Amino acid sequence: MLLGLVVALDRRFDFSQAALWLFNAWMLLHLLGGMASVGDTRLYDYVLVHWIGEPYEILKYDQLVHVFCYVAIALLVHEAVSRVVLPARAFAVAVITVLAASGIGGLNEIIEFAAVVVVGSTGVGGYVNTALDLLANLLGALAGAALGYLRSGWRAARVPGAATGR
């Protein structure tokens, strides 16, 4: 469903190749996270760097994929919002981007919760996992909005009469 939505929105907003490639790379990372393993550990549960131990286990593959996902989502949102709502207000678009991408991240966590309620154990995790996912989503949304903001400035500098980001 998400892929179909991005394809449909791409027809309307003509997303950049960079944003679409990031989204496709995230889909691959997501599939690998659920299907691949490192030893006996599912890739989504694998701890990449032991910065903070139990119960948080930071930095897991799952958290990294959430950050990556919401960088891509934020870039897509930024491009859509900047083309429709506020093309001359780059900072306002960046704020709207963070809020919208974070909202999409919250919706994702609600869908995961619904799957746990309907199906039972889905390997998604509990309260701590959900909170860490939301934090990772926010970090990705902030990074993606910052990238979109910077790219807006670069486009404005190259295109005569383009938005200046005021």
Side-chain angles (χ1 to χ4, degrees):
M1 285 180 16
L2 184 57
L3 179 59
L5 179 63
V6 169
V7 168
L9 290 173
D10 184 41
R11 290 187 190 121
R12 164 92 165 92
F13 298 111
D14 190 29
F15 294 127
S16 69
Q17 291 296 309
L20 292 171
W21 274 107
L22 282 173
F23 179 78
N24 283 308
W26 163 74
M27 286 193 318
L28 177 62
L29 293 172
H30 174 61
L31 290 173
L32 288 172
M35 297 179 355
S37 296
V38 176
D40 292 336
T41 305
R42 183 179 69 134
L43 192 52
Y44 260 136
D45 299 323
Y46 188 74
V47 179
L48 299 170
V49 179
H50 291 277
W51 282 335
I52 299 175
E54 287 291 339
Y56 306 108
E57 286 301 345
I58 296 174
L59 177 71
K60 290 187 344 187
Y61 178 86
D62 176 50
Q63 297 151 359
L64 186 66
V65 171
H66 273 269
V67 169
F68 190 93
C69 172
Y70 286 93
V71 167
I73 294 293
L75 282 174
L76 293 170
V77 168
H78 186 276
E79 289 180 11
V81 170
S82 65
R83 287 185 176 102
V84 173
V85 178
L86 302 163
R89 306 272 185 226
F91 184 75
V93 170
V95 170
I96 291 168
T97 296
V98 171
L99 295 173
S102 296
I104 293 167
L107 180 60
N108 177 64
E109 295 307 313
I110 291 167
I111 291 168
E112 285 184 5
F113 175 71
V116 170
V117 170
V118 171
V119 177
S121 178
T122 60
V124 170
Y127 174 76
V128 170
N129 177 72
T130 299
L132 290 172
D133 286 353
L134 289 169
L135 177 61
N137 297 349
L138 176 62
L139 292 174
L142 288 166
L147 285 171
Y149 180 80
L150 292 173
R151 290 179 74 222
S152 294
W154 295 329
R155 278 194 303 277
R158 291 192 323 256
V159 179
T164 60
R166 286 177 268 129

